[in-house]
Amino acid sequence: MHVNMWIAGFANEDKAPYYEKVASMGRELMEENGGAYTLLSLTRTKDIFKGRTKEGLFEIVQNFNYGESFHLSASYSDYVLHAPNKVTTKSYIYYDPKFMEKMYPPAEQDLRKTYWFDDDIYATNGDFQCLKFANVFMEEGEDNNPDDNQMIFRYSDPILLRAEALAELNRDEEARTVVNVIRKRAEAADIMESGDDLKDAIWWERVRELLGEGNFYYDLVRTKKVINSSIPQLQCR
């Protein structure tokens, strides 16, 4: 699905066959997987991101007991956690509030704000924490990252790729139905947009759903939104 979306993003010829392949593969994965994959309740966030659930498609196992750990600075969690989840008292980075407010509007309900972040997701003083990958802990007092598996592909990803492909094929009603599978899990309002606005809404849904999972930069380039100055770009401080 990713390969076809990349080809479509840069193809000069008819893009529709590539989007059709993505839509078809997404439908197969969602409707014919025999229960092998599913979205879990966000109340099970700790299970989802420590790994080995029906929501994980491809993960790299980490197990500190067996010496299977990334370098300290290689994991996203190293930059967005602080005490009591890390030795440091302040997170090393936070996101520009304008970006965060576009991603998670303050007045809109979204359970991801509750389960994936600490109290103030708009903080700029080092209090910001993203808790998605803070589920399997090291020994108390050690400056190590949580021992969660590294997510490469999670079930949300192909769902959103399918929605994106459907929107590119101008099958807006189908695209809304698919992207709202993700929204309903978060108890967020359904996406109702059409046309280009729908495409932008699906893109932003990938941003908020897959934050910290290694997709943002590639999605910017693949969709060419990296050269769109009207979109608030990711800024870390």
Side-chain angles (χ1 to χ4, degrees):
M1 294 177 75
H2 274 283
V3 168
N4 279 281
M5 292 301 284
W6 274 96
I7 295 173
F10 289 90
N12 293 320
E13 67 272 17
D14 184 14
K15 301 173 185 288
Y18 302 109
Y19 292 131
E20 290 284 2
K21 288 180 181 178
V22 174
S24 176
M25 287 186 283
R27 181 195 60 76
E28 180 179 358
L29 184 60
M30 292 179 68
E31 299 176 15
E32 301 177 17
N33 74 52
Y37 305 111
T38 189
L39 294 177
L40 304 181
S41 167
L42 290 180
T43 61
R44 296 186 60 190
T45 287
K46 288 186 179 294
D47 295 322
I48 294 169
F49 293 104
K50 72 182 180 183
R52 301 181 182 181
T53 72
K54 288 187 175 183
E55 192 160 327
L57 301 183
F58 178 35
E59 308 166 3
I60 299 176
V61 174
Q62 289 194 97
N63 191 314
F64 190 74
N65 292 329
Y66 293 95
E68 298 170 339
S69 295
F70 292 104
H71 185 274
L72 181 65
S73 62
S75 297
Y76 175 75
S77 55
D78 183 50
Y79 301 93
V80 293
L81 294 175
H82 58 68
N85 301 305
K86 294 276 288 183
V87 170
T88 180
T89 58
K90 298 289 183 180
S91 295
Y92 294 126
I93 68 170
Y94 59 84
Y95 294 100
D96 186 287
K98 291 181 180 178
F99 176 82
M100 290 299 297
E101 289 171 5
K102 177 66 176 179
M103 182 165 54
Y104 284 109
E108 295 184 9
Q109 177 177 329
D110 194 313
L111 288 182
R112 289 169 292 196
K113 291 192 288 186
T114 300
Y115 289 104
W116 292 0
F117 298 92
D118 208 350
D119 292 338
D120 187 0
I121 70 174
Y122 313 106
T124 60
N125 60 357
D127 287 345
F128 170 86
Q129 285 198 99
C130 181
L131 304 174
K132 288 174 80 173
F133 310 102
N135 309 300
V136 183
F137 294 98
M138 298 294 96
E139 295 179 19
E140 184 176 357
E142 291 190 24
D143 191 15
N144 289 298
N145 290 320
D147 209 20
D148 296 359
N149 287 0
Q150 177 64 49
M151 292 290 173
I152 305 300
F153 296 115
R154 186 164 58 86
Y155 189 47
S156 297
D157 178 18
I159 292 174
L160 293 168
L161 286 179
R162 181 189 179 191
E164 183 181 339
L166 289 168
E168 293 290 349
L169 292 167
N170 299 315
R171 293 157 60 179
D172 287 5
E173 184 175 353
E174 292 178 76
R176 286 191 292 268
T177 298
V178 173
V179 70
N180 285 331
V181 170
I182 302 295
R183 301 285 293 172
K184 290 181 188 302
R185 196 263 291 263
E187 296 185 11
D190 283 353
I191 286 173
M192 304 299 292
E193 288 86 343
S194 299
D196 288 341
D197 290 340
L198 174 59
K199 295 174 186 178
D200 286 342
I202 292 170
W203 187 83
W204 275 106
E205 194 63 25
R206 285 185 62 82
V207 174
R208 66 178 63 92
E209 173 70 18
L210 301 175
L211 181 70
E213 298 181 49
N215 289 272
F216 180 78
Y217 172 76
Y218 298 103
D219 284 349
L220 270 180
V221 174
R222 175 176 60 76
T223 61
K224 299 182 181 179
K225 282 182 166 52
V226 70
I227 58 175
N228 187 341
S229 61
S230 68
I231 296 177
Q233 302 296 332
L234 170 63
Q235 295 184 26
C236 301
R237 303 292 176 84

